[in-house]
């Protein structure tokens, strides 16, 4: 449906993509009143949906202008139009990423800003002379909606780390599936 932008009959396709990005950023325009009588509204809404999904996916990836143009041309968008759209979308990626972060903050008070780790190995202690136990110390820096940060420290045993890694691999697979 990305290639259908020219077929909508919209007088200014770049302005439409600006409206779509505004929509992706939370300021939903009234497409019916903006484009009624100028184009097929049913086809327009399909294009809007496709471009909105495309832009939201790109905002989470942080990719270059060239890669955006490549994805647009692969989707069938004519080269000249793909070049103009690529520049427009790339210029507004930070705005879309900020809107996505705001959406996440509205779901949760805080998001992960930074992570640090260290491995702690206890070789022996006075009570247990042959103790050898490793643990992972995770320092999570969390940022709230107001921009304040706080640190959370987690100590994980080997079993806890194994469970965490399995969960993170599963989460990564879901994210990868959504991005492609």
């Amino acid at each position: 449906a990305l290639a259908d932008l020219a077929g909508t009959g919209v007088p200014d396709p770049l302005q439409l993509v600006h409206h779509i990005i505004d929509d992706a950023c939370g300021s939903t325009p009234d497409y019916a009143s903006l484009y009624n009588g100028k184009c097929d509204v049913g086809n327009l809404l399909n294009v809007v949906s496709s471009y909105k999904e495309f832009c939201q996916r790109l905002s989470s990836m942080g990719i270059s202008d060239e890669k955006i143009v490549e994805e647009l041309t692969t989707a069938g968008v004519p080269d000249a139009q793909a070049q103009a759209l690529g520049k427009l979308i790339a210029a507004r990626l930070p705005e879309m990423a900020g809107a996505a972060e705001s959406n996440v903050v509205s779901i949760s008070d805080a998001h992960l800003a930074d992570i640090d780790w260290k491995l702690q190995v206890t070789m022996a202690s006075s009570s247990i002379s042959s103790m050898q136990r490793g643990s992972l110390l995770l320092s999570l820096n969390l940022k709230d909606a107001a921009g304040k940060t706080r640190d959370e420290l987690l100590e994980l045993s080997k079993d806890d780390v194994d469970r965490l890694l399995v969960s993170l691999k599963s989460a990564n697979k879901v994210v990868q599936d959504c991005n492609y």
Side-chain angles (χ1 to χ4, degrees):
L2 296 177
D4 295 338
L5 181 61
T8 60
V10 171
D12 185 359
L14 292 178
Q15 184 63 42
L16 172 61
V17 174
H18 272 295
H19 287 141
I20 293 168
I21 293 172
D22 290 342
D23 189 358
C25 292
S27 176
T28 306
D30 183 3
Y31 294 107
S33 67
L34 288 170
Y35 298 103
N36 193 18
K38 299 176 185 173
C39 62
D40 173 20
V41 177
N43 186 31
L44 174 72
L45 294 178
N46 286 334
V47 169
V48 166
S49 175
S50 295
Y51 270 89
K52 184 175 175 183
E53 181 181 317
F54 178 73
C55 290
Q56 287 172 326
R57 181 174 57 85
L58 292 178
S59 71
S60 69
M61 297 170 64
I63 64 175
S64 67
D65 301 19
E66 294 83 20
K67 182 68 175 163
I68 295 170
V69 171
E70 180 183 319
E71 289 208 24
L72 287 166
T73 54
T74 300
V77 176
D79 192 49
Q81 192 175 38
Q83 293 288 334
L85 290 171
K87 288 179 183 176
L88 182 150
I89 293 168
R92 296 203 54 195
L93 280 178
E95 182 182 351
M96 289 185 285
E101 184 177 316
S102 294
N103 287 339
V104 168
V105 169
S106 70
I107 295 169
S108 173
D109 294 14
H111 66 276
L112 186 61
D114 193 20
I115 187 168
D116 194 14
W117 63 273
K118 69 175 130 175
L119 184 61
Q120 178 178 333
V121 179
T122 305
M123 299 301 286
S125 72
S126 61
S127 60
I128 304 175
S129 61
S130 64
M131 180 179 173
Q132 287 187 335
R133 184 179 70 97
S135 61
L136 179 68
L137 295 177
L138 283 179
S139 177
L140 306 176
N141 183 276
L142 304 174
K143 186 184 226 181
D144 67 16
K148 291 176 52 179
T149 61
R150 72 176 192 273
D151 290 323
E152 295 289 334
L153 185 64
L154 301 174
E155 182 174 352
L156 303 170
S157 68
K158 182 181 179 331
D159 292 338
D160 292 336
V161 170
D162 289 340
R163 282 192 297 276
L164 176 64
L165 290 175
V166 167
S167 294
L168 289 174
K169 284 179 186 175
S170 297
N172 186 44
K173 183 177 179 341
V174 170
V175 169
Q176 294 304 316
D177 290 345
C178 289
N179 285 334
Y180 299 105

